[in-house]
């Protein structure tokens, strides 16, 4: 029995007759940043796509100029209990989302339509294939905000990028371009912006002609052995991330970042 397509505020879901689902982050005015609602909607989307038998392949993309700008930065309120409640609620959802991605059994393709920050980058190793527009940039500014690695990037980045590039991204706040990441195999290929979804759908449609069961079983061979370990990494990172978000170190870094951001806006 088919499940109805969820109607969500911060995610758009389309399914074509070939069983390809396009999940689109739909918070463009906030750079597709992950707040509580978007985290809930992403979880609902992934759960639905996993359980819906009609869906064979999932494409994730974003609306607007950003693919995803990662976790929405918290305000630094005077009420620390409020910050703690909000941070704990968001972190619980974030951990749940990453756990679902670790176990997702179907072919998962990212179509990076613009800038990617934070989880917009650490999400990508959970995908089986990554396509991108040439102009996209990739940055994980965790040290700038005194956070820590998340999304299992402390393990997956060194694995897929090598130790040196992983450290530049996670520890040195270096920005990489899409062409640079194609050269090292993190991105499969570049597609012009006006053709991104069309070409991604073309590739996905070609794959729908293959045995769905064979793809599921083969992906399990590729991913299964490290899934248990990734769940442990996810918990370890998430526990530390909560501590970092609540730390005085992070509050100072966020306050400085926001003040500098306001100065830039006032000069415009």
């Amino acid at each position: 029995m088919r499940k109805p397509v969820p109607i969500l505020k911060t995610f758009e879901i389309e399914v074509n007759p070939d069983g390809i689902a396009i999940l689109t982050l739909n918070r463009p005015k906030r750079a597709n940043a992950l707040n509580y609602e978007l985290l809930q909607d992403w979880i609902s989307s992934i759960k639905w796509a996993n359980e819906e038998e009609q869906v064979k392949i999932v494409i994730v993309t974003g609306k607007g100029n950003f693919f995803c700008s990662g976790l929405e930065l918290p305000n630094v309120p005077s009420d620390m209990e409020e910050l703690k409640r909000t941070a704990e609620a968001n972190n619980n959802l974030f951990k749940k989302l990453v756990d679902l991605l670790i176990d997702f059994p179907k072919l998962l393709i990212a179509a990076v339509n613009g800038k990617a920050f934070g989880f917009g980058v650490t999400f990508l190793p959970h995908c089986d294939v990554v396509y991108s527009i040439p102009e996209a940039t990739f940055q994980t500014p965790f040290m700038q905000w005194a956070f820590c690695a998340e999304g299992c990037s402390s393990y997956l980045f060194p694995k897929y990028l090598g130790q040196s590039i992983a450290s530049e991204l996670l520890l040195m706040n270096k920005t990489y371009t899409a062409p640079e990441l194609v050269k090292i195999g993190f991105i499969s290929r570049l597609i012009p912006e006006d053709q991104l979804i069309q070409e991604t759908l073309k590739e996905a449609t070609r794959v729908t002609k293959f045995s769905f069961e064979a793809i599921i079983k083969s992906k399990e061979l590729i991913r299964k052995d490290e899934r248990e370990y990734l769940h442990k990494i996810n918990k370890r990172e998430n526990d530390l991330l909560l501590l970092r978000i609540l730390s005085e170190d992070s509050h100072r870094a966020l306050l400085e970042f926001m003040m500098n951001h306001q100065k830039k806006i006032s000069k415009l």
Side-chain angles (χ1 to χ4, degrees):
M1 182 176 177
R2 289 185 176 180
K3 295 178 177 291
V5 177
I7 306 299
L8 305 169
K9 185 176 179 181
T10 65
F11 250 86
E12 290 183 356
I13 302 176
E14 300 176 53
V15 187
N16 74 8
D18 292 313
I20 302 168
I22 302 177
L23 312 184
T24 305
L25 284 78
N26 185 25
R27 203 172 173 233
K29 291 182 180 179
R30 298 294 295 173
N32 294 326
L34 305 180
N35 64 350
Y36 188 85
E37 186 174 31
L38 196 149
L39 285 166
Q40 284 184 314
D41 286 353
W42 201 334
I43 288 168
S44 297
S45 300
I46 288 293
K47 278 186 172 180
W48 173 84
N50 184 23
E51 296 168 1
E52 174 51 58
E53 293 182 1
Q54 177 195 2
V55 173
K56 309 299 182 185
I57 298 172
V58 173
I59 297 168
V60 177
T61 191
K63 180 172 285 188
N65 296 324
F66 282 79
F67 173 60
C68 174
S69 60
L71 290 168
E72 189 162 66
L73 294 178
N75 292 320
V76 186
S78 55
D79 183 357
M80 290 305 297
E81 285 301 315
E82 178 190 344
L83 175 61
K84 185 177 180 182
R85 285 193 298 270
T86 302
E88 286 178 344
N90 286 343
N91 273 42
N92 286 338
L93 283 181
F94 185 65
K95 179 182 179 298
K96 187 175 182 179
L97 172 60
V98 175
D99 279 337
L100 287 170
L101 292 170
I102 291 169
D103 292 329
F104 192 71
K106 301 178 182 180
L107 190 65
L108 184 61
I109 301 173
V112 181
N113 59 292
K115 295 178 181 180
F117 289 88
F119 189 64
V121 187
T122 61
F123 160 70
L124 298 178
H126 296 285
C127 298
D128 303 295
V129 179
V130 180
Y131 299 130
S132 175
I133 64 170
E135 299 83 6
T137 56
F138 302 80
Q139 185 182 12
T140 53
F142 305 138
M143 297 304 101
Q144 182 178 358
W145 304 323
F147 288 178
C148 69
E150 39 94 309
C152 297
S153 58
S154 62
Y155 170 75
L156 292 175
F157 273 20
K159 176 182 178 180
Y160 290 112
L161 295 165
Q163 187 67 47
S164 183
I165 291 175
S167 295
E168 280 194 317
L169 275 166
L170 293 174
L171 305 179
M172 299 176 66
N173 197 23
K174 181 175 172 58
T175 299
Y176 274 84
T177 65
E180 288 173 324
L181 293 183
V182 166
K183 289 180 181 178
I184 55 180
F186 193 66
I187 296 171
S188 297
R189 68 185 177 96
L190 304 178
I191 302 173
E193 184 176 3
D194 61 349
Q195 301 172 33
L196 178 64
I197 298 303
Q198 177 185 347
E199 286 297 310
T200 303
L201 277 170
K202 181 179 176 181
E203 289 297 324
T205 301
R206 181 176 60 82
V207 175
T208 60
K209 311 303 179 187
F210 306 151
S211 163
F212 178 60
E213 183 179 356
I215 291 172
I216 295 291
K217 294 296 183 183
S218 295
K219 177 170 177 175
E220 187 176 6
L221 283 175
I222 296 168
R223 299 272 187 175
K224 184 178 180 180
D225 286 347
E226 69 178 7
R227 279 176 173 157
E228 183 178 351
Y229 183 61
L230 286 176
H231 285 301
K232 292 179 181 178
I233 293 291
N234 186 31
K235 183 180 186 307
R236 186 187 308 166
E237 288 180 350
N238 217 59
D239 287 347
L240 179 58
L241 180 59
L242 180 59
L243 293 176
R244 295 305 308 155
I245 290 173
L246 298 176
S247 70
E248 288 295 328
D249 193 20
S250 177
H251 298 167
R252 286 192 298 270
L254 287 171
L255 191 59
E256 181 180 353
F257 172 79
M258 291 174 183
M259 288 175 64
N260 290 336
H261 183 64
Q262 287 298 323
K263 288 178 182 177
K264 289 180 181 178
I265 292 175
S266 64
K267 290 179 180 179
L268 295 177

